[in-house]
Amino acid sequence: MAKPVLLSVDDDSDVLRAIERDLRSQYGAEYRVMGSDSAEQALDILKQLKMRNDSVALLLADQRMPQMDGVQFLQEAMRIYPDAKRALLTAYADTTAAISAINEASINYFFLKPWDPPSERLYPQLDDMLDDWLASYRPKFEGIRVLGTRWSPRCYELRDFLARNHVPYRWIDIELNANDPETKQLLEALGPEATNLPVVLFPDGTKLLESLPAQVAEKVGLRTRAQTSFYHLAIVGGGPAGLAAAVYGASEGLSTVMIEREAPGGQAGMSSRIENYLGFPSGLSGRDLARRAVVQAQRFGVEILAPQEVTGVRTENSYRILKLADGNEISCHALMISTGVQWRRLEAPGIDRLQGAGVYYGGGATEALSCKGEIVYVVGGANSAGQAAMNFAKYADRVYILVRGDSLSSTMSKYLIDQIQQTPNIELWTHASVVEVHGDLHLEQVSVHCSDTNKIERVPATAMFIFIGALPRTDWLGDLVERDERGFILTGPDLLRNGARPKGWSLDRDPFLLETNVPGIFAVGDVRHGSVKRVASGVGEGSVAVQFIHQYLSKV
Ligand SMILES: Cc1cc2nc3c(=O)[nH]c(=O)nc-3n(C[C@H](O)[C@H](O)[C@H](O)COP(=O)(O)OP(=O)(O)OC[C@H]3O[C@@H](n4cnc5c(N)ncnc54)[C@H](O)[C@@H]3O)c2cc1C
């Protein structure tokens, strides 16, 4: 933790050195002693310290300085660090001015030059002031701070990205905290840059304006570039299926890289509570599951590139070559596709415009807390919608689940239906479909068509979360890998037509159970045609496929 700062300012360099020396010898163990020979420079230092979220305990300024005298400096400095103790260094002739400064400019003390011996004429008074300061000192948050507004889609995207990648950060909503003194001081220190939201402030004092996830990823050390250009096994997609394949592949000696577009954990990472995963009787959050799996994979030496997207694939003899969004390529002998599915979009006027500003696809874990005391709409009747409703019900005043059918029984697990029925602030709205959303800068109302009455109801809303089924995004595979009419990848027996092997198949064996029509390219998890869309089945497929990969590699 950074030590609180003691800052002295004096244009006379001998005096400055002397005061710094005395401060350091007495307080250096607990405080960082800094000095400046001009008031202007000292104010710049204070602004930088504010950006880094450092604490300042004491400001000690010479009264007679050119351009800005000590009292003026301390008054300016007070705007940045109002809680710091303030003292003047004065010559005997200035005592009257110093005394009036104490009364008029809220200065805590003045010291006469020279202050020898410091044990009598400096330290006792400073001890007193610092004890006083320490009594109300609360150590500052040391991680990343993100400044933005709740209704900005860019801010939402960044916060969601940080949360899903387990990067700790403090969110400062500048609208909600407009009257908070600390936020005001921060905005003042930022000046006009404070309008370039989201602003990310790093503990080393640097900042990013209008920050994008990829820029922040690079800054916090998330790896997006591969260490080498060839791997035994490359895995595209870091959901449960990809993570399981990574753990099994690397633990069995394969050099393994896993490439993930957003954050390891995939859809499971958005789940607030997975209750049906073996070995966790009281359930666990998807985020926890993802975090554990990432640690496990890294322990076995898996290289994880995230955020990084695979945009194309081709084959050259026994090599399978992946094209990445940053233009680089990675080659491998065995390729695993575990790219899962993506939320289907809800087609209704206003949805695209307000996405990220009250309208969200998926869990929106970062939004749950912001929904305190509000009315939340959850669209969809599957388990994912049920879990989300349970999660929002902890914070929101009321949660409405909108479904087109007349009940949840055919789409949701019974344990979740029971939980929902026992939660008084969740209400099921059947025969309901969203036909329009309204709001200028953020969601304000939702129009719902009620098929039983054939009427449209327009209701107030601040947040709507959409969970209406999902589709694979497999376009990046071009014509190389066979898919069904919805885009799900065909594997193993699904590729055999009347017993005939797929077109172009060159080996004298059938495709393995989880192998595609291209030897050495496998598909597992939700992206696979006919898969069971569950965490455990994805994990099972990812693990089993590694056995087939070994058999394939033994003949490459
Ligand atoms: C909110 C919610 C709650 C759920 N709750 C449960 C539950 O309680 N129990 C249960 O068993 N199941 C649950 N599920 C379903 C379960 O999460 C999925 O079945 C499982 O995550 C599928 O795993 P997967 O690895 O196949 O794919 P996914 O989890 O979809 O992961 C695929 C990953 O691939 C990445 N990707 C896609 N394209 C690319 C590309 N071109 N380049 C790089 N990366 C790419 C994606 O970003 C994603 O991270 C839930 C799902 C959701 C959304």
Side-chain angles (χ1 to χ4, degrees):
M1 194 173 66
K3 296 177 195 170
V5 170
L6 311 182
L7 177 68
S8 38
V9 195
D10 202 314
D11 61 316
D12 180 331
S13 55
D14 290 338
V15 178
L16 183 64
R17 262 200 301 278
I19 190 78
E20 282 189 86
R21 183 199 57 218
D22 285 348
L23 288 176
R24 204 164 277 128
S25 73
Q26 180 74 1
Y27 301 108
E30 290 96 33
Y31 295 91
R32 187 155 45 117
V33 175
M34 297 177 78
S36 168
D37 60 7
S38 89
E40 285 83 1
Q41 188 195 45
L43 288 172
D44 282 345
I45 293 175
L46 289 177
K47 283 182 189 161
Q48 281 166 25
L49 290 171
K50 194 82 201 173
M51 293 299 155
R52 293 161 48 142
N53 215 16
D54 284 344
S55 302
V56 173
L58 175 75
L59 299 161
L60 189 54
D62 180 28
Q63 168 59 6
R64 281 201 189 183
M65 292 190 288
Q67 275 110 38
M68 194 187 287
D69 68 26
V71 172
Q72 283 171 323
F73 162 75
L74 290 173
Q75 282 176 318
E76 281 294 309
M78 236 172 97
R79 293 156 63 98
I80 310 173
Y81 277 100
D83 299 329
K85 293 291 166 191
R86 297 171 289 277
L88 276 178
L89 274 177
T90 56
Y92 185 73
D94 295 328
T95 357
T96 319
I99 292 171
S100 59
I102 292 184
N103 296 326
E104 288 156 23
S106 308
I107 283 160
N108 302 97
Y109 204 77
F110 72 91
F111 295 94
L112 282 180
K113 292 196 249 184
W115 53 86
D116 282 327
S119 56
E120 283 174 24
R121 301 184 56 195
L122 184 69
Y123 299 148
Q125 297 81 354
L126 281 182
D127 283 347
D128 210 32
M129 278 195 275
L130 291 175
D131 281 350
D132 215 24
W133 181 82
L134 274 175
S136 54
Y137 166 58
R138 302 284 170 273
K140 302 276 188 194
F141 175 74
E142 293 220 310
I144 294 173
R145 286 167 300 156
V146 180
L147 279 83
T149 62
R150 177 181 171 192
W151 302 119
S152 150
R154 281 185 79 160
C155 296
Y156 172 72
E157 185 194 11
L158 182 64
R159 287 164 61 208
D160 194 48
F161 168 80
L162 290 172
R164 292 182 60 199
N165 279 286
H166 311 285
V167 179
Y169 73 97
R170 194 172 142 216
W171 166 241
I172 302 171
D173 187 318
I174 61 165
E175 282 173 1
L176 280 181
N177 295 295
N179 296 322
D180 167 48
E182 187 73 22
T183 308
K184 278 187 187 167
Q185 291 148 24
L186 199 53
L187 294 176
E188 199 170 305
L190 273 168
E193 291 179 334
T195 52
N196 301 326
L197 299 173
V199 175
V200 181
L201 302 173
F202 296 93
D204 65 359
T206 55
K207 56 182 175 283
L208 280 173
L209 307 176
E210 295 183 2
S211 335
L212 296 170
Q215 297 169 318
V216 182
E218 196 168 321
K219 182 84 184 138
V220 298
L222 292 176
R223 188 194 292 267
T224 56
R225 293 214 179 106
Q227 279 180 327
T228 67
S229 56
F230 173 80
Y231 297 82
H232 294 132
L233 170 61
I235 300 164
V236 188
L243 281 163
V247 166
Y248 277 86
S251 68
E252 291 169 17
L254 303 178
S255 61
T256 304
V257 63
M258 189 183 85
I259 306 141
E260 164 54 49
R261 188 177 53 199
E262 290 165 14
Q267 296 169 69
M270 297 179 197
S271 167
S272 45
R273 187 135 294 260
I274 300 170
E275 304 215 32
N276 54 1
Y277 190 57
L278 187 71
F280 294 88
S282 50
L284 87 166
S285 75
R287 207 168 281 193
D288 254 358
L289 181 68
R291 186 181 45 77
R292 287 163 188 248
V294 166
V295 173
Q296 204 173 2
Q298 283 170 333
R299 223 189 85 217
F300 286 120
V302 176
E303 215 181 299
I304 299 178
L305 309 187
Q308 182 60 268
E309 184 170 0
V310 177
T311 53
V313 59
R314 66 177 197 279
T315 59
E316 278 178 23
N317 308 314
S318 62
Y319 295 98
R320 278 81 188 96
I321 298 159
L322 293 173
K323 190 162 175 45
L324 308 183
D326 65 4
N328 288 319
E329 292 193 336
I330 288 180
S331 71
C332 59
H333 273 154
L335 171 62
M336 175 90 75
I337 303 168
S338 48
T339 46
V341 289
Q342 270 211 318
W343 296 109
R344 204 156 56 74
R345 305 194 74 76
L346 197 153
E347 302 293 341
I351 294 277
D352 288 349
R353 189 172 52 83
L354 295 176
Q355 190 181 335
V359 173
Y360 308 95
Y361 286 92
T366 39
E367 273 313 293
L369 271 174
S370 319
C371 298
K372 219 169 176 170
E374 295 183 352
I375 296 178
V376 168
Y377 289 85
V378 170
V379 186
N383 280 2
S384 46
Q387 279 181 10
M390 288 299 299
N391 190 34
F392 295 135
K394 288 186 226 150
Y395 310 96
D397 187 43
R398 185 147 290 273
V399 179
Y400 290 94
I401 304 179
L402 270 61
V403 290
R404 281 202 279 211
D406 57 6
S407 77
L408 293 172
S409 58
S410 59
T411 50
M412 199 178 282
S413 297
K414 175 147 180 356
Y415 80 91
L416 263 176
I417 298 179
D418 291 346
Q419 286 179 7
I420 286 168
Q421 280 168 349
Q422 284 156 22
T423 309
N425 62 336
I426 301 185
E427 210 163 297
L428 179 65
W429 188 348
T430 55
H431 306 286
S433 38
V434 173
V435 287
E436 189 169 357
V437 290
H438 317 267
D440 289 333
L441 295 175
H442 59 85
L443 179 71
E444 288 167 29
Q445 288 167 327
V446 176
S447 287
V448 181
H449 176 250
C450 310
S451 60
D452 47 352
T453 58
N454 203 23
K455 287 202 173 121
I456 289 180
E457 278 194 44
R458 192 162 161 160
V459 288
T462 44
M464 182 174 93
F465 297 87
I466 305 168
F467 300 80
I468 54 164
L471 285 173
R473 254 203 8 201
T474 44
D475 311 352
W476 61 278
L477 292 167
D479 294 333
L480 188 68
V481 175
E482 276 190 39
R483 274 105 73 196
D484 67 14
E485 63 292 344
R486 295 170 67 210
F488 289 94
I489 299 176
L490 299 170
T491 52
D494 294 331
L495 289 161
L496 305 178
R497 287 182 191 103
N498 303 320
R501 290 173 183 159
K503 220 168 105 198
W505 184 260
S506 55
L507 305 180
D508 59 358
R509 63 163 174 82
D510 287 350
F512 290 127
L513 186 64
L514 299 165
E515 198 172 21
T516 67
N517 60 306
V518 183
I521 300 188
F522 296 78
V524 291
D526 283 13
V527 74
R528 199 178 63 76
H529 167 87
S531 61
V532 178
K533 310 270 180 298
R534 289 284 182 272
V535 174
S537 50
V539 167
E541 289 186 13
S543 324
V544 168
V546 172
Q547 293 313 309
F548 298 122
I549 286 173
H550 281 299
Q551 291 182 44
Y552 170 77
L553 290 177
S554 68
K555 299 227 169 98
V556 169

